[in-house]
mmCIF file of all heavy atoms in Angstrom:
data_model
loop_
_atom_site.group_PDB
_atom_site.id
_atom_site.type_symbol
_atom_site.label_atom_id
_atom_site.label_comp_id
_atom_site.label_asym_id
_atom_site.label_seq_id
_atom_site.Cartn_x
_atom_site.Cartn_y
_atom_site.Cartn_z
ATOM 1 N N THR B 5 31.008 -37.859 -46.957
ATOM 2 C CA THR B 5 30.249 -38.781 -46.305
ATOM 3 C C THR B 5 31.162 -39.791 -45.496
ATOM 4 O O THR B 5 32.000 -40.288 -46.057
ATOM 5 C CB THR B 5 29.397 -39.676 -47.414
ATOM 6 O OG1 THR B 5 28.701 -38.833 -48.178
ATOM 7 C CG2 THR B 5 28.527 -40.713 -46.700
ATOM 8 N N THR B 12 32.139 -49.296 -31.772
ATOM 9 C CA THR B 12 32.697 -49.777 -30.294
ATOM 10 C C THR B 12 33.738 -50.918 -30.629
ATOM 11 O O THR B 12 33.420 -51.850 -31.223
ATOM 12 C CB THR B 12 31.502 -50.292 -29.502
ATOM 13 O OG1 THR B 12 30.548 -49.106 -29.378
ATOM 14 C CG2 THR B 12 32.041 -50.632 -28.162
ATOM 15 N N ASN B 22 35.436 -45.255 -42.446
ATOM 16 C CA ASN B 22 35.318 -44.911 -43.793
ATOM 17 C C ASN B 22 34.818 -43.450 -44.179
ATOM 18 O O ASN B 22 33.939 -42.919 -43.528
ATOM 19 C CB ASN B 22 34.213 -45.831 -44.618
ATOM 20 C CG ASN B 22 34.716 -47.247 -44.646
ATOM 21 O OD1 ASN B 22 35.987 -47.594 -44.631
ATOM 22 N ND2 ASN B 22 33.928 -48.244 -44.827
ATOM 23 N N ALA B 27 34.078 -33.729 -54.857
ATOM 24 C CA ALA B 27 34.617 -32.351 -55.022
ATOM 25 C C ALA B 27 35.015 -32.166 -56.460
ATOM 26 O O ALA B 27 35.413 -33.153 -57.144
ATOM 27 C CB ALA B 27 35.768 -32.227 -54.067
ATOM 28 N N SER B 32 42.152 -30.682 -50.523
ATOM 29 C CA SER B 32 42.946 -31.198 -49.444
ATOM 30 C C SER B 32 41.934 -31.932 -48.597
ATOM 31 O O SER B 32 40.819 -31.533 -48.440
ATOM 32 C CB SER B 32 43.610 -30.108 -48.655
ATOM 33 O OG SER B 32 44.569 -29.555 -49.464
ATOM 34 N N TRP B 35 41.480 -35.424 -41.451
ATOM 35 C CA TRP B 35 40.788 -35.972 -40.299
ATOM 36 C C TRP B 35 41.027 -35.071 -39.147
ATOM 37 O O TRP B 35 42.186 -34.808 -38.773
ATOM 38 C CB TRP B 35 41.331 -37.387 -40.060
ATOM 39 C CG TRP B 35 40.638 -38.389 -40.931
ATOM 40 C CD1 TRP B 35 41.067 -38.990 -42.134
ATOM 41 C CD2 TRP B 35 39.306 -39.024 -40.803
ATOM 42 N NE1 TRP B 35 40.146 -39.795 -42.687
ATOM 43 C CE2 TRP B 35 39.080 -39.870 -41.910
ATOM 44 C CE3 TRP B 35 38.258 -38.814 -39.870
ATOM 45 C CZ2 TRP B 35 37.957 -40.562 -42.011
ATOM 46 C CZ3 TRP B 35 37.030 -39.474 -40.144
ATOM 47 C CH2 TRP B 35 36.887 -40.479 -41.099
ATOM 48 N N GLN B 38 37.855 -34.959 -31.987
ATOM 49 C CA GLN B 38 37.221 -34.111 -30.953
ATOM 50 C C GLN B 38 37.216 -35.017 -29.760
ATOM 51 O O GLN B 38 36.305 -35.878 -29.663
ATOM 52 C CB GLN B 38 35.890 -33.597 -31.292
ATOM 53 C CG GLN B 38 35.302 -32.637 -30.295
ATOM 54 C CD GLN B 38 34.025 -32.056 -30.800
ATOM 55 O OE1 GLN B 38 33.172 -32.685 -31.535
ATOM 56 N NE2 GLN B 38 33.671 -30.811 -30.348
ATOM 57 N N TYR B 39 37.835 -34.681 -28.794
ATOM 58 C CA TYR B 39 37.740 -35.415 -27.426
ATOM 59 C C TYR B 39 36.662 -34.667 -26.610
ATOM 60 O O TYR B 39 36.246 -33.455 -26.907
ATOM 61 C CB TYR B 39 39.082 -35.262 -26.586
ATOM 62 C CG TYR B 39 40.189 -35.990 -27.363
ATOM 63 C CD1 TYR B 39 41.243 -35.205 -27.954
ATOM 64 C CD2 TYR B 39 40.234 -37.388 -27.464
ATOM 65 C CE1 TYR B 39 42.139 -35.966 -28.775
ATOM 66 C CE2 TYR B 39 41.247 -38.038 -28.186
ATOM 67 C CZ TYR B 39 42.174 -37.332 -28.796
ATOM 68 O OH TYR B 39 43.204 -37.939 -29.559
ATOM 69 N N GLY B 43 37.530 -28.656 -28.267
ATOM 70 C CA GLY B 43 37.361 -28.279 -29.722
ATOM 71 C C GLY B 43 38.025 -29.353 -30.612
ATOM 72 O O GLY B 43 38.484 -30.453 -30.163
ATOM 73 N N GLN B 45 40.665 -30.993 -33.149
ATOM 74 C CA GLN B 45 42.131 -30.846 -33.432
ATOM 75 C C GLN B 45 42.421 -31.609 -34.748
ATOM 76 O O GLN B 45 41.847 -32.672 -34.952
ATOM 77 C CB GLN B 45 42.951 -31.554 -32.396
ATOM 78 C CG GLN B 45 42.711 -31.170 -30.932
ATOM 79 C CD GLN B 45 43.416 -32.089 -29.851
ATOM 80 O OE1 GLN B 45 44.379 -32.659 -30.164
ATOM 81 N NE2 GLN B 45 42.875 -32.055 -28.703
ATOM 82 N N LEU B 46 43.231 -31.109 -35.418
ATOM 83 C CA LEU B 46 43.761 -31.734 -36.731
ATOM 84 C C LEU B 46 44.469 -33.088 -36.321
ATOM 85 O O LEU B 46 45.482 -33.085 -35.500
ATOM 86 C CB LEU B 46 44.608 -30.805 -37.504
ATOM 87 C CG LEU B 46 45.144 -31.466 -38.749
ATOM 88 C CD1 LEU B 46 43.999 -31.671 -39.763
ATOM 89 C CD2 LEU B 46 46.286 -30.631 -39.476
ATOM 90 N N LYS B 52 47.415 -34.134 -51.786
ATOM 91 C CA LYS B 52 47.240 -34.688 -53.180
ATOM 92 C C LYS B 52 47.109 -36.128 -53.259
ATOM 93 O O LYS B 52 47.345 -36.788 -52.320
ATOM 94 C CB LYS B 52 48.444 -34.219 -54.064
ATOM 95 C CG LYS B 52 49.722 -34.719 -53.627
ATOM 96 C CD LYS B 52 50.966 -34.164 -54.496
ATOM 97 C CE LYS B 52 52.276 -34.805 -54.107
ATOM 98 N NZ LYS B 52 52.668 -34.441 -52.645
ATOM 99 N N ALA B 53 46.732 -36.603 -54.423
ATOM 100 C CA ALA B 53 46.398 -37.971 -54.665
ATOM 101 C C ALA B 53 47.642 -38.799 -54.321
ATOM 102 O O ALA B 53 48.809 -38.519 -54.568
ATOM 103 C CB ALA B 53 45.960 -38.288 -56.035
ATOM 104 N N ASP B 54 47.317 -40.001 -53.615
ATOM 105 C CA ASP B 54 48.275 -40.949 -53.169
ATOM 106 C C ASP B 54 49.109 -40.516 -51.990
ATOM 107 O O ASP B 54 49.870 -41.365 -51.348
ATOM 108 C CB ASP B 54 49.185 -41.468 -54.326
ATOM 109 C CG ASP B 54 48.417 -42.124 -55.528
ATOM 110 O OD1 ASP B 54 47.397 -42.729 -55.143
ATOM 111 O OD2 ASP B 54 48.835 -41.787 -56.633
ATOM 112 N N GLY B 57 48.544 -39.402 -45.054
ATOM 113 C CA GLY B 57 48.864 -38.545 -43.841
ATOM 114 C C GLY B 57 48.880 -39.543 -42.630
ATOM 115 O O GLY B 57 48.217 -40.657 -42.696
ATOM 116 N N THR B 71 37.743 -41.824 -54.692
ATOM 117 C CA THR B 71 37.332 -40.594 -53.912
ATOM 118 C C THR B 71 37.121 -41.039 -52.437
ATOM 119 O O THR B 71 36.103 -40.781 -51.828
ATOM 120 C CB THR B 71 36.107 -39.929 -54.490
ATOM 121 O OG1 THR B 71 34.966 -40.812 -54.456
ATOM 122 C CG2 THR B 71 36.351 -39.529 -55.879
ATOM 123 N N HIS B 74 39.905 -43.082 -46.058
ATOM 124 C CA HIS B 74 39.529 -43.871 -44.873
ATOM 125 C C HIS B 74 40.578 -43.878 -43.747
ATOM 126 O O HIS B 74 41.902 -43.871 -44.087
ATOM 127 C CB HIS B 74 39.547 -45.360 -45.295
ATOM 128 C CG HIS B 74 38.456 -45.573 -46.434
ATOM 129 N ND1 HIS B 74 37.211 -44.952 -46.471
ATOM 130 C CD2 HIS B 74 38.490 -46.406 -47.404
ATOM 131 C CE1 HIS B 74 36.666 -45.327 -47.467
ATOM 132 N NE2 HIS B 74 37.374 -46.248 -48.137
ATOM 133 N N LEU B 75 40.128 -43.621 -42.577
ATOM 134 C CA LEU B 75 41.014 -43.558 -41.378
ATOM 135 C C LEU B 75 41.256 -44.917 -40.867
ATOM 136 O O LEU B 75 40.413 -45.724 -40.630
ATOM 137 C CB LEU B 75 40.525 -42.629 -40.292
ATOM 138 C CG LEU B 75 41.281 -42.414 -39.049
ATOM 139 C CD1 LEU B 75 42.574 -41.619 -39.410
ATOM 140 C CD2 LEU B 75 40.499 -41.688 -38.010
ATOM 141 N N VAL B 80 43.955 -49.806 -31.391
ATOM 142 C CA VAL B 80 43.388 -48.559 -30.743
ATOM 143 C C VAL B 80 43.520 -48.783 -29.186
ATOM 144 O O VAL B 80 43.603 -49.817 -28.676
ATOM 145 C CB VAL B 80 41.772 -48.483 -31.117
ATOM 146 C CG1 VAL B 80 41.624 -48.080 -32.465
ATOM 147 C CG2 VAL B 80 40.984 -49.680 -30.628
ATOM 148 N N VAL B 87 35.323 -38.395 -31.080
ATOM 149 C CA VAL B 87 34.558 -38.248 -32.261
ATOM 150 C C VAL B 87 35.596 -37.825 -33.450
ATOM 151 O O VAL B 87 36.395 -36.960 -33.241
ATOM 152 C CB VAL B 87 33.389 -37.260 -32.173
ATOM 153 C CG1 VAL B 87 32.597 -37.141 -33.603
ATOM 154 C CG2 VAL B 87 32.390 -37.619 -31.059
ATOM 155 N N CYS B 90 35.902 -36.361 -40.838
ATOM 156 C CA CYS B 90 36.524 -36.280 -42.111
ATOM 157 C C CYS B 90 36.167 -34.961 -42.786
ATOM 158 O O CYS B 90 34.875 -34.441 -42.647
ATOM 159 C CB CYS B 90 36.107 -37.436 -43.084
ATOM 160 S SG CYS B 90 36.880 -37.572 -44.582
ATOM 161 N N ALA B 94 38.391 -27.194 -50.801
ATOM 162 C CA ALA B 94 38.723 -27.207 -52.237
ATOM 163 C C ALA B 94 39.039 -25.781 -52.676
ATOM 164 O O ALA B 94 38.883 -25.518 -53.940
ATOM 165 C CB ALA B 94 37.549 -27.718 -52.992
ATOM 166 N N ARG B 106 31.505 -41.462 -33.847
ATOM 167 C CA ARG B 106 31.905 -41.464 -32.408
ATOM 168 C C ARG B 106 32.547 -42.826 -32.320
ATOM 169 O O ARG B 106 31.978 -43.955 -32.697
ATOM 170 C CB ARG B 106 30.818 -41.352 -31.523
ATOM 171 C CG ARG B 106 31.174 -41.375 -30.092
ATOM 172 C CD ARG B 106 29.885 -41.063 -29.141
ATOM 173 N NE ARG B 106 29.435 -39.714 -29.419
ATOM 174 C CZ ARG B 106 29.901 -38.728 -28.884
ATOM 175 N NH1 ARG B 106 31.016 -38.881 -27.950
ATOM 176 N NH2 ARG B 106 29.384 -37.501 -29.144
#
Side-chain angles (χ1 to χ4, degrees):
Chain B
T5 302
T12 303
N22 290 336
S32 293
W35 277 101
Q38 184 180 31
Y39 298 104
Q45 304 173 27
L46 179 69
K52 62 182 185 296
D54 299 325
T71 61
H74 304 322
L75 182 68
V80 293
V87 180
C90 185
R106 185 174 296 276

